[in-house]
Amino acid sequence: MSAALQSEGSSEDIGTRLKLVRQIFGLTQRELARRAGVTNGAISLIEQNRVSPSISSLKKILDGIPLSLADFFTLDFSPSENVFFTAGELTEISYDPAITMRMVGRRVKDRALQMLKETYQPGADTGDAMLRHGGEECGVVIAGTLTLTVGVQERLLNPGDAYYFRSDIPHRFRNMSSEAVVLISANSPPSF
Amino acid sequence: MSAALQSEGSSEDIGTRLKLVRQIFGLTQRELARRAGVTNGAISLIEQNRVSPSISSLKKILDGIPLSLADFFTLDFSPSENVFFTAGELTEISYDPAITMRMVGRRVKDRALQMLKETYQPGADTGDAMLRHGGEECGVVIAGTLTLTVGVQERLLNPGDAYYFRSDIPHRFRNMSSEAVVLISANSPPSF
DNA sequence: CCCACACGTTTAGAATTATTGACGATGCTG
DNA sequence: CAGCATCGTCAATAATTCTAAACGTGTGGG
């Protein structure tokens, strides 16, 4: 076969699924390709369902997001979904062993907001090259002391303290204390 | 790259994962290949991690088991796993829209027993070409009236009734009533 | 207006995966 | 033990995917 491979149900529509995930994380095809170590053309073809990627390619691409294969296939894009989630149901997005991020809810389509529960181990540091998408973001510290740098300002935030800034301003999260920092954050709609 | 692709951690070791799943379901490479519409050579190469299958190939293969991509990547093979499972945590194995099977537990390695919760809608029928593996199986009916044929014997089983037979005897499950049949079944270790 | 830049798309060719058909090993049966 | 069947594996070839380098579009500045 060569012409068939096109639109299937939805759960198996890898292309659309990848495109949605990519857009939710505010990445362009080229940016994701760079992070993943593949070419932008490959991502374009996959998103159009003109090819069916190998597992190794798909894994490389998802590592650039980052998202596990299991989560990729498990994510639910249906508009009406569960309202309540237990702690264990949060989708994990691991950047760095010292930093864990868990997304609230598995529903992903038509999101207006992305909410994360983030945990920073002592010494964890995002670096400041994390411009990301162009929305806004805010958060509240739940535990520990967070060192937050936004533009030229730097502050120590203790439990109950919060922040709010435009995501295109360079920013950096650090845990310079000896106990873990936990915070709840939200990002406004990444692009689309 | 050409030589690297070999053994990785485990969660991403598609070959071993596929092999385990195939063996748990008591299928040979050739039998699975036939069901899936691929060649046995392809399955051999994948299980040895000598190639990384395309999603379309992997999906075809899993359809022959049958198992969804999401479940395939979600299955947990670690020997020590949870003991308790809620209804929603059972892994679904859908053969037929009229028949649902949910496997108890996600742990899969070193299983001595496979337990399923099966639901047959009115009219559902497995046909009798389901010889499957060579162990034994038994079950208890929870709701509805099950028509069970084993070899030359046929019986109507009502809630509380049960069965036990060698799986290599031809057998057939039917729901000839107007209400759904629910039963809990167990199979002894499929081959390996 | 035109240039520079970033976006997704496309195409030819390189790289990888799937098929075909054969092989050795094992087990069963007469 | 030979004959036969089935298992997993392998090599050569066919088919598909991935890369590299273009293209066309749209947008913002100067």
Side-chain angles (χ1 to χ4, degrees):
Chain A
M1 77 164 159
S2 178
L5 176 54
Q6 302 300 78
S7 58
E8 296 178 42
S10 64
S11 173
E12 316 306 353
D13 181 352
I14 305 300
T16 303
R17 184 167 281 254
L18 176 59
K19 182 168 189 169
L20 280 169
V21 170
R22 175 175 64 78
Q23 291 178 328
I24 283 153
F25 284 88
L27 300 170
T28 65
Q29 289 182 347
R30 284 181 148 87
E31 171 61 12
L32 177 54
R34 188 190 61 70
R35 292 197 194 192
V38 300
T39 58
N40 61 304
I43 293 177
S44 176
L45 294 172
I46 292 166
E47 290 189 354
Q48 298 171 79
N49 284 321
R50 297 202 2 209
V51 300
S52 176
S54 69
I55 296 291
S56 62
S57 298
L58 183 59
K59 171 147 189 354
K60 276 201 290 187
I61 292 168
L62 294 179
D63 282 347
I65 286 182
L67 193 67
S68 72
L69 284 164
D71 277 341
F72 178 74
F73 286 106
T74 306
L75 281 174
D76 187 343
F77 294 90
S78 62
S80 65
E81 236 329 90
N82 285 346
V83 174
F84 305 103
F85 302 92
T86 65
E89 289 167 351
L90 302 185
T91 301
E92 178 146 1
I93 303 167
S94 56
Y95 251 102
D96 177 322
I99 305 174
T100 63
M101 297 189 177
R102 294 175 174 278
M103 187 168 69
V104 175
R106 291 189 169 280
R107 179 173 72 79
V108 160
K109 192 174 188 178
D110 294 328
R111 245 181 199 291
L113 202 58
Q114 181 185 67
M115 175 161 279
L116 300 172
K117 178 180 181 183
E118 310 179 20
T119 303
Y120 295 81
Q121 297 304 323
D125 184 347
T126 60
D128 68 354
M130 291 187 59
L131 308 199
R132 308 268 287 179
H133 49 278
E136 303 182 348
E137 62 187 274
C138 61
V140 179
V141 175
I142 303 301
T145 300
L146 173 70
T147 303
L148 175 59
T149 310
V150 179
V152 297
Q153 305 177 63
E154 180 163 307
R155 277 280 295 277
L156 295 185
L157 298 178
N158 290 303
D161 295 345
Y163 63 85
Y164 190 122
F165 56 82
R166 295 219 323 272
S167 300
D168 54 3
I169 301 174
H171 47 286
R172 178 182 197 179
F173 292 77
R174 277 180 292 174
N175 180 0
M176 302 176 72
S177 72
S178 57
E179 72 170 311
V181 171
V182 179
L183 64 96
I184 304 296
S185 74
N187 306 311
S188 64
S191 55
F192 85 124
Chain B
M1 77 165 158
S2 178
L5 175 55
Q6 302 301 76
S7 59
E8 298 178 40
S10 65
S11 173
E12 315 306 354
D13 181 351
I14 305 300
T16 302
R17 182 168 283 253
L18 176 60
K19 183 167 190 170
L20 280 169
V21 169
R22 174 175 65 77
Q23 291 178 328
I24 283 153
F25 284 87
L27 300 171
T28 65
Q29 289 182 346
R30 284 183 148 87
E31 171 61 12
L32 178 54
R34 189 191 60 73
R35 292 196 195 192
V38 301
T39 58
N40 61 304
I43 293 178
S44 176
L45 294 173
I46 291 166
E47 290 188 354
Q48 299 172 78
N49 284 320
R50 298 206 358 212
V51 300
S52 176
S54 70
I55 295 291
S56 62
S57 299
L58 183 59
K59 171 150 190 348
K60 276 200 290 187
I61 291 168
L62 294 179
D63 283 347
I65 288 183
L67 192 68
S68 71
L69 284 165
D71 278 341
F72 178 75
F73 286 106
T74 305
L75 280 175
D76 187 343
F77 294 90
S78 60
S80 64
E81 236 330 90
N82 284 346
V83 173
F84 305 104
F85 302 92
T86 65
E89 289 168 351
L90 302 185
T91 301
E92 179 148 359
I93 302 167
S94 56
Y95 251 101
D96 177 321
I99 306 174
T100 64
M101 296 190 177
R102 295 174 174 281
M103 185 168 72
V104 176
R106 292 188 170 280
R107 179 171 74 77
V108 160
K109 193 173 189 178
D110 294 329
R111 246 182 198 290
L113 202 57
Q114 180 185 65
M115 176 161 279
L116 301 172
K117 178 181 182 183
E118 310 180 21
T119 303
Y120 295 80
Q121 297 303 323
D125 185 348
T126 61
D128 68 355
M130 288 187 62
L131 307 200
R132 307 270 287 179
H133 48 277
E136 303 183 349
E137 62 187 274
C138 62
V140 179
V141 175
I142 303 301
T145 299
L146 174 70
T147 302
L148 175 59
T149 310
V150 179
V152 296
Q153 304 176 64
E154 180 164 307
R155 276 282 294 276
L156 295 184
L157 297 178
N158 290 302
D161 295 345
Y163 64 86
Y164 190 120
F165 56 83
R166 294 219 323 272
S167 300
D168 54 2
I169 300 174
H171 47 284
R172 178 182 195 178
F173 291 77
R174 277 179 292 174
N175 179 0
M176 302 176 72
S177 71
S178 57
E179 74 169 309
V181 170
V182 179
L183 65 95
I184 304 296
S185 74
N187 306 310
S188 65
S191 54
F192 87 126

